[in-house]
């Protein structure tokens, strides 16, 4: 094949790939063609390689988009969690949750423990694992979600916002217990929880035991209803009271003094 016909073919591939929205084929076809010629691949093998490159790249783009849409404050993987620092957590339970079976069943996860014990790390790690399995995930603090719902109610778009949160495969709700929630905000949050009940999973992290959730929500009956829904068929993980961050800081200071 002449250089001129190669150039024409490349231009034709580029135009067709743009029309069909196949950006990887547009950019990789020439390189893969050179490899195919060098390795004397058949036409079918070359076509398979080109299509596989497009599929792989498209999957990676979807994965990146899902992670960006989840709005994690930072990326923390379950594999990076120091289980030695949290002896109360069973590795088998964490491995089971990482597989994502709880998502198919719409089961909740509740992470309870003091500040610095790894709740947010686990919450983000579970959310990231779900993203990589093709799930729709959103991470948000409890206070942020309540504020968003109040604004939506004021703007008369609450049903739209509740429906949007209802479509998620996993809602990661962090920092329940750090900020008191007024009656209106508590009722709006309850709508989100009810929307997802036994249908789509919530993973929730709190620094308070269930017995102290009454300090966050003003209505005892609403507290009971929220706890009832969030714990039904739930996977409950207690991260303990010993702050991993504090111990790490102290160990670092001791090493500095010793050096």
């Amino acid at each position: 094949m002449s250089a001129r016909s190669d150039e024409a073919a490349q231009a034709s591939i580029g135009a067709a790939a743009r029309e069909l929205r196949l950006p990887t084929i547009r950019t990789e076809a020439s390189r893969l063609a050179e490899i195919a010629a060098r390795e004397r691949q058949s036409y079918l093998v070359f076509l398979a390689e080109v299509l596989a490159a497009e599929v792989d790249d498209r999957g990676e783009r979807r994965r990146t988009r899902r992670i960006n849409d989840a709005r994690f404050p930072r990326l923390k993987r379950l594999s990076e969690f120091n289980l030695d620092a949290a002896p109360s957590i069973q590795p088998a339970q964490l491995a089971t949750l990482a597989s994502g079976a709880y998502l198919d069943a719409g089961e909740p996860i509740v992470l309870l423990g003091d500040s610095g014990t790894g709740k947010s790390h686990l919450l983000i790690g579970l959310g990231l694992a779900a993203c990589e399995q093709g799930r729709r995930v959103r991470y948000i603090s409890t206070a942020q979600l309540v504020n968003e719902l109040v604004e939506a109610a004021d703007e008369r778009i609450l049903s739209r916002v509740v429906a949007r949160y209802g479509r998620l495969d996993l809602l990661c709700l962090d920092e329940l217990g750090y900020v008191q929630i007024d009656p209106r905000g508590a009722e709006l949050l309850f709508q989100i929880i009810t929307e997802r009940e036994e249908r789509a999973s919530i993973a929730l992290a709190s620094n308070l035991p269930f017995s102290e959730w009454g300090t966050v929500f003003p209505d005892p009956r609403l507290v009971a209803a929220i706890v009832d829904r969030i714990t039904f068929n739930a996977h409950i993980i207690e991260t303990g009271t010993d702050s991993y961050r504090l111990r790490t800081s102290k160990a670092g200071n001791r090493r500095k003094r010793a050096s």
Side-chain angles (χ1 to χ4, degrees), residues 31-50:
R31 183 182 68 83
L32 293 174
E34 290 175 3
I35 294 173
R38 187 166 60 248
E39 297 180 356
R40 297 184 179 180
Q41 295 174 356
S42 69
Y43 295 130
L44 285 177
V45 171
F46 168 64
L47 178 60
E49 290 293 325
V50 170

Side-chain angles (χ1 to χ4, degrees), residues 30-209:
S30 294
R31 183 182 68 83
L32 293 174
E34 290 175 3
I35 294 173
R38 187 166 60 248
E39 297 180 356
R40 297 184 179 180
Q41 295 174 356
S42 69
Y43 295 130
L44 285 177
V45 171
F46 168 64
L47 178 60
E49 290 293 325
V50 170
L51 293 176
E54 184 66 50
V55 169
D56 290 346
D57 194 48
R58 184 168 294 188
E60 181 60 26
R61 290 197 301 272
R62 281 198 299 266
R63 172 186 168 277
T64 300
R65 184 167 61 250
R66 285 192 298 268
I67 292 173
N68 290 336
D69 289 345
R71 302 183 191 178
F72 299 117
R74 53 200 173 278
L75 296 184
K76 295 283 188 177
R77 298 186 179 276
L78 292 176
S79 60
E80 299 168 349
F81 187 79
N82 185 1
L83 284 166
D84 293 334
S88 62
I89 300 176
Q90 298 298 317
Q93 183 184 23
L94 214 54
T96 299
L97 293 175
S99 72
Y102 73 97
L103 293 164
D104 296 324
E107 295 168 345
I109 296 175
V110 183
L111 302 163
L112 300 176
D114 283 359
S115 179
T117 56
K119 299 185 303 300
S120 292
H121 185 144
L122 292 174
L123 192 64
I124 293 169
L126 288 166
L128 189 57
C131 285
E132 292 176 339
Q133 292 162 10
R135 316 281 189 161
R136 292 167 297 182
V137 179
R138 177 75 162 89
Y139 170 97
I140 191 169
S141 74
T142 304
Q144 286 175 322
L145 177 56
V146 168
N147 288 339
E148 183 177 337
L149 294 173
V150 169
E151 290 177 4
D154 290 341
E155 296 171 6
R156 299 185 179 181
I157 57 170
L158 180 62
S159 60
R160 190 189 313 168
V161 173
V162 171
R164 185 173 73 240
Y165 277 100
R167 288 192 294 269
L168 297 171
D169 297 304
L170 176 62
L171 173 60
C172 297
L173 197 56
D174 205 357
E175 298 179 351
L176 188 149
Y178 290 95
V179 178
Q180 286 186 328
I181 300 174
D182 63 26
R184 185 187 184 203
E187 290 174 2
L188 294 172
L189 179 61
F190 183 68
Q191 286 190 45
I192 295 290
I193 294 171
T194 301
E195 176 75 13
R196 303 182 61 80
E197 184 182 6
E198 295 186 58
R199 188 185 58 79
S201 296
I202 292 180
L204 183 149
S206 176
N207 65 315
L208 298 176

